[in-house]
Amino acid sequence: MPPHPRRAAHVALALAPVALKIAAMLWALHAGFAQVSDDDYARTVIAQSFAHAPRLDPSGTSWLPLPFWIYGGVMMALGRSLAVARGLAFVLGALSPLVVWAGLRSMQIARIPAALGAAVFALTPWSVWLGLAPVPEAWAGACAAGALFFAASSHPRGEAIAGALACVASLSRYEAWPIAALVAAVAAVRFVRGEGARAWHVAGFALAVLGPAFWLANNAITHGDALHFVARVAAYRRANGGVLSIADRIFEYPRALRHDAPEILIAGLIGAFAATTQPALRARWVLPLGGAALVFAFLIYGDLRDGAPTHHAARALLPAMAVLAGFGADALFALASHKKPVVAAALAAWLAFVIFRVRDVPGNDAASRREGQIARGRALAGAAALDVTPCAYEHFALIAAYGAPERVTIHEAERKPVTPDCPEVRSR
């Protein structure tokens, strides 16, 4: 094939998962997607506050800062509306498969299985829904997986790229921290062994540890305890997460993978089956699969210590999902390189299954939807200031739609069931 058509085919395969992700997100919106949870609006409110008065730790809570820097920075330029937050979420969610594609290609995986792996990750329902919400999991999960792929690659600057991606992910989501530690360890080992250019190893190590080191230092300086965020998360979970047995805590995340991403579990099983007979496949995937296992171990340990996310366990598994998607795609093509009709039929069945599941959007029950609060917030946009008394957490949707949280005084929540009349609002 001449160079130009070959380049065009390469670009088309790279963009195919992006196009599929956009189609799936539009399909989810058509099916009624509005939000994952009230966290969507709480994060938007914090970004709006950052755009109004920037500070190093925008949330002042356990939430990591980079998403607020990104969203708040864009809001400084485009305005502090909920529409801007949702639009940026759509763009970041749509582009996230490119990171997975590039990482898989850096591992010398052929273009078609790399595109398939990126597409499987892009279309798994939680990747679609989180790509629509102004939360960091979709793009941070792609960056965390990309860090593993580049760390496992033969790319001359692989460790530096891996470190940069790990830095982005670890300043956005805690489940990226074990991946950042693994990337740093790989860079350190290769530096000691004298493999390749040592400057890139140093850069990879420094970038990988930068995110967690910054956050630990910030907590030590601001709160007097480097692990203050751990105590805060644990206290919130104990107050709001209910009591789980030890067995439930150990198996919560494996069950979430089975229940919420069965297509990803199938991809992993295909990879495991192929790896039993293909040493080259096993060797190529040792490091990424080790990183995915570390994510599970980290989350399970956090669950045992009440330090894991309080709801929607699957949202923390996006890095592991991306790894398993790539592993399964690589293995499928290794197993069926001469059986293209079988592969095509399997992919068609899988696509129909995923499209059906994407329609089952979260946060769509009557108690969770926030259209009323958003409409009230927009209607109040002309008010000079607001006094808000929440029932629970529904007030964040109203404030996000209002667009000026610095002009809102929030009174103690009444801790009662949310109704369309919540929150109580007085304008002044």
Side-chain angles (χ1 to χ4, degrees), residues 100-112:
V100 177
W101 152 266
L104 292 171
R105 290 289 292 143
S106 78
M107 293 173 63
Q108 305 302 311
I109 293 171
R111 290 178 299 177
I112 292 177

Side-chain angles (χ1 to χ4, degrees), residues 7-382:
R7 190 179 303 116
H10 184 84
V11 171
L13 281 171
L15 294 180
V18 175
L20 290 170
K21 181 72 175 283
I22 290 172
M25 291 195 296
L26 292 174
W27 178 244
L29 288 173
H30 175 73
F33 178 87
Q35 71 280 312
V36 173
S37 71
D38 286 313
D39 282 359
D40 299 18
Y41 305 109
R43 284 184 173 274
T44 299
V45 167
I46 294 169
Q48 291 169 335
S49 297
F50 177 84
H52 173 72
R55 59 176 184 163
L56 200 59
D57 180 4
S59 75
T61 68
S62 60
W63 275 344
L64 289 156
L66 183 59
F68 306 116
W69 298 346
I70 294 172
Y71 276 80
V74 171
M75 285 178 176
M76 289 179 190
L78 301 181
R80 296 191 293 163
S81 70
L82 181 58
V84 167
R86 286 174 164 172
L88 179 57
F90 192 100
V91 171
L92 292 174
L95 294 178
S96 60
L98 282 176
V99 181
V100 177
W101 152 266
L104 292 171
R105 290 289 292 143
S106 78
M107 293 173 63
Q108 305 302 311
I109 293 171
R111 290 178 299 177
I112 292 177
L116 175 61
V120 170
F121 168 69
L123 294 181
T124 194
W126 273 105
S127 178
V128 174
W129 301 328
L130 292 166
L132 286 167
V135 295
E137 285 90 330
W139 52 267
C143 287
L148 291 171
F149 299 150
F150 274 100
S153 76
S154 57
H155 193 289
R157 300 181 181 88
E159 285 92 348
I161 298 172
L165 291 170
C167 183
V168 169
S170 62
L171 281 171
S172 305
R173 292 287 302 177
Y174 289 108
E175 61 268 14
W177 282 31
I179 290 175
L182 180 58
V183 169
V186 168
V189 168
R190 290 175 179 167
F191 177 88
V192 170
R193 290 178 177 175
E195 300 175 9
R198 288 191 164 191
W200 295 118
H201 303 328
V202 172
F205 178 88
L207 287 167
V209 301
L210 178 60
F214 162 77
W215 194 239
L216 291 169
N218 174 75
N219 276 262
I221 294 168
T222 305
H223 303 288
D225 179 6
L227 298 176
H228 167 79
F229 59 93
V230 176
R232 188 179 184 109
V233 170
Y236 180 84
R237 184 178 174 90
R238 287 165 188 156
N240 296 278
V243 178
L244 296 177
S245 68
I246 297 296
D248 285 339
R249 296 181 191 208
I250 291 173
F251 292 107
E252 181 177 12
Y253 288 95
R255 285 171 180 161
L257 181 66
R258 183 198 67 190
H259 181 268
D260 294 321
E263 62 282 348
I264 298 293
L265 180 60
I266 292 169
L269 292 173
I270 291 171
F273 174 76
T276 60
T277 59
Q278 303 201 28
L281 182 72
R282 287 200 303 271
R284 185 160 58 242
W285 282 94
V286 165
L287 195 152
L289 290 172
L294 281 177
V295 170
F296 273 97
F298 181 81
L299 290 168
I300 291 169
Y301 176 76
D303 227 352
L304 291 170
R305 299 294 299 271
D306 290 317
T310 305
H311 56 84
H312 298 129
R315 65 194 298 167
L317 293 176
L318 268 290
M321 289 185 192
V323 170
L324 292 175
F327 181 46
D330 191 17
L332 182 63
F333 272 76
L335 287 170
S337 58
H338 302 296
K339 298 179 180 178
K340 292 181 181 178
V342 174
V343 174
L347 294 181
W350 170 81
L351 186 60
F353 174 61
V354 171
I355 288 173
F356 177 78
R357 294 206 319 111
V358 165
R359 294 177 64 252
D360 188 20
V361 296
N364 205 29
D365 57 285
S368 300
R369 295 187 69 86
R370 298 289 179 254
E371 287 96 337
Q373 286 82 3
I374 291 170
R376 290 172 65 198
R378 287 173 176 159
L380 290 164

